[in-house]
Amino acid sequence: KWRSNDGLNREIQVRSSIKGVPTPFEYDVLLALMRIHIRHNNDKVIIGGMSTNTIKFTYRELSREMGFKGFGSKTKDRLHNAIEKLCDTNIYNTSKGGIYDPIKKEYLTNSTKVISILRNFESYSYLNTKEGVVLDAHSLKDKASVVIDDFFLSNINAGKGKISNGALRKSLKIDLARRLYLILNKWRNKRDEIYVTYSKL
């Protein structure tokens, strides 16, 4: 629940699975997946529109993008669970009109809309053998893909996503500090100075 710039009370409902709702770690995983997707599309994914909603990656690649120094089965499992949690999470619009439509440039009121974040998650682990590729759930060699929700992605394409400094964000060790940096970076909108209140934050 929050109050928007027009002075009205807004509200959304976040529903997840048995794994719970996303934490700052899942948010970091989502940002890392987006950076991988942008890099795979020659850094032209957002400018001019997305070429595809499907992100293709490996867990080792995702681990490296997250800034982990090593890669093993525990890291792989943690990343896998984070993506599952993002796929299971849905955001529901309520009668308070908490979801903003960037195309119509208005809040959705008096209607139900369910937005997912990620969907169609697929992954498999494999081994290269003399007989060819063999599936092996315990292998650290893998291929994975996941699809970004259309509405979620349209918000990014409509300018609701802002470029941030990944190295600076990773250097902030406290989750709250990372979130504050991302919020302030979005609000400043290329300005050198902004004025905010603690209640607004």
Side-chain angles (χ1 to χ4, degrees):
K1 297 180 180 180
W2 72 98
R3 186 181 295 272
S4 56
N5 290 336
D6 54 15
L8 297 176
N9 291 322
R10 302 292 180 185
E11 180 181 304
I12 58 171
Q13 190 174 93
V14 181
R15 302 180 191 175
S16 191
S17 67
I18 57 172
K19 296 181 184 292
V21 296
T23 67
F25 178 75
E26 279 73 34
Y27 191 67
D28 284 344
V29 170
L30 178 61
L31 290 176
L33 285 169
M34 292 297 292
R35 288 193 301 272
I36 289 171
H37 191 44
I38 290 168
R39 191 165 58 248
H40 286 185
N41 287 273
N42 300 317
D43 297 333
K44 295 180 181 177
V45 180
I46 293 175
I47 299 170
M50 285 284 186
S51 57
T52 174
N53 286 24
T54 303
I55 305 172
K56 296 181 180 180
F57 64 97
T58 67
Y59 285 107
R60 188 178 298 275
E61 180 182 25
L62 180 56
S63 173
R64 192 166 49 245
E65 191 65 42
M66 289 284 292
F68 295 145
K69 293 180 180 178
F71 179 70
S73 59
K74 287 185 178 180
T75 298
K76 182 179 176 183
D77 289 344
R78 190 178 180 203
L79 293 172
H80 181 94
N81 287 335
I83 295 171
E84 276 194 9
K85 194 182 289 188
L86 287 165
C87 288
D88 290 343
T89 300
N90 289 305
I91 303 168
Y92 284 72
N93 194 50
T94 69
S95 59
K96 297 287 187 179
I99 294 177
Y100 185 79
D101 188 328
I103 308 302
K104 296 180 179 178
K105 299 189 183 307
E106 63 185 23
Y107 281 97
L108 303 177
T109 56
N110 300 321
S111 63
T112 300
K113 186 171 184 68
V114 181
I115 299 170
S116 62
I117 301 171
L118 299 177
R119 57 184 167 82
N120 294 2
F121 176 37
E122 298 179 12
S123 87
Y124 64 90
S125 298
Y126 65 94
L127 290 172
N128 289 320
T129 67
K130 293 179 181 178
E131 290 76 28
V133 175
V134 177
L135 296 182
D136 186 327
H138 302 293
S139 173
L140 290 178
K141 287 182 175 291
D142 61 74
K143 289 188 178 180
S145 67
V146 71
V147 176
I148 314 167
D149 180 78
D150 293 339
F151 189 88
F152 184 82
L153 199 55
S154 71
N155 274 271
I156 297 172
N157 279 328
K160 297 300 176 186
K162 296 286 186 289
I163 301 299
S164 63
N165 186 320
L168 174 58
R169 189 179 57 80
K170 287 178 184 177
S171 72
L172 302 171
K173 302 305 179 188
I174 301 172
D175 289 335
L176 181 59
R178 290 186 178 192
R179 290 187 68 188
L180 284 173
Y181 165 67
L182 289 170
I183 291 169
L184 292 171
N185 183 68
K186 177 182 176 182
W187 284 353
R188 75 183 182 90
N189 198 25
K190 298 182 181 179
R191 291 174 291 180
D192 292 330
E193 291 182 341
I194 57 171
Y195 296 92
V196 298
T197 64
Y198 282 113
S199 61
K200 177 75 171 176
L201 282 172

